Amino acid sequence: MAHDTIFFLAPDDETAASTRLRGLGEDFDSVTCRFIEPDSAIAEWDMYFEAPSAEAPPLEQLYAWRPWPEWVTAPLNDGVEVFALPKRLTRALGKASSAELEELAGRWIARLRSEDGDDMTDDDLLAVLQGVARLAASAANTGGGLYSWSF
């Protein structure tokens, strides 16, 4: 499980990839979350916007979802991962209503609680989604991309 996940804006994949070794610092507009798996979170969010439902999908369905987030740089043994969020998910998050974000957060929380129990993140996951949606709207306006950096 990733200890820190940072969702951030970057103008392109090359710039996002440059964060792999040095981190993000203050150079990027970002939202931080702790103790989540960014790839499964991204896939779950994407599933939600393709087929909205308040119910969390079965894990087999989640893990079979395509497209799965793509690495911007190949992973190494240091545990750092940089993913690009799918463009369709970035568009959907940027246009999401408050009600959609609340429903998605509820479903995401239910899945994490069923998997992690008391070890679940204590971050406000609705606030995380709202922040990522704000970044997604900004990405649509600037032509940049939305990425996640995790360790």
Side-chain angles (χ1 to χ4, degrees):
M1 174 172 291
H3 289 95
D4 289 310
T5 299
I6 304 170
F7 295 95
F8 68 100
L9 291 177
D12 53 48
D13 287 357
E14 185 178 332
T15 304
S18 74
T19 66
R20 194 190 133 3
L21 293 177
R22 63 178 174 82
L24 274 72
E26 300 294 321
D27 298 336
F28 298 89
D29 194 4
S30 63
V31 174
T32 301
C33 186
R34 296 184 48 82
F35 303 114
I36 66 159
E37 291 295 340
D39 51 351
S40 60
I42 293 165
E44 184 165 355
W45 301 347
D46 195 36
M47 282 183 81
Y48 173 82
F49 288 108
E50 287 297 304
S53 168
E55 299 297 318
L59 286 179
E60 311 80 54
Q61 185 180 359
L62 176 63
Y63 294 141
W65 184 251
R66 296 294 177 256
W68 200 253
E70 294 186 17
W71 281 299
V72 175
T73 60
L76 301 175
N77 289 333
D78 62 2
V80 176
E81 296 178 313
V82 180
F83 289 107
L85 276 71
K87 295 288 184 198
R88 73 178 183 190
L89 174 58
T90 301
R91 284 190 300 274
L93 282 166
K95 295 177 181 177
S97 69
S98 294
E100 288 173 315
L101 294 175
E102 288 173 15
E103 185 173 76
L104 175 54
R107 156 182 158 155
W108 186 29
I109 290 166
R111 183 181 62 79
L112 290 175
R113 187 166 288 128
S114 73
E115 288 179 5
D116 302 334
D118 291 338
D119 292 332
M120 184 179 124
T121 181
D122 55 4
D123 284 329
D124 179 343
L125 296 181
L126 175 57
V128 169
L129 272 171
Q130 291 167 332
V132 174
R134 179 185 52 78
L135 293 175
S138 182
N141 291 333
T142 63
L146 189 53
Y147 300 88
S148 74
W149 180 98
S150 61
F151 173 74

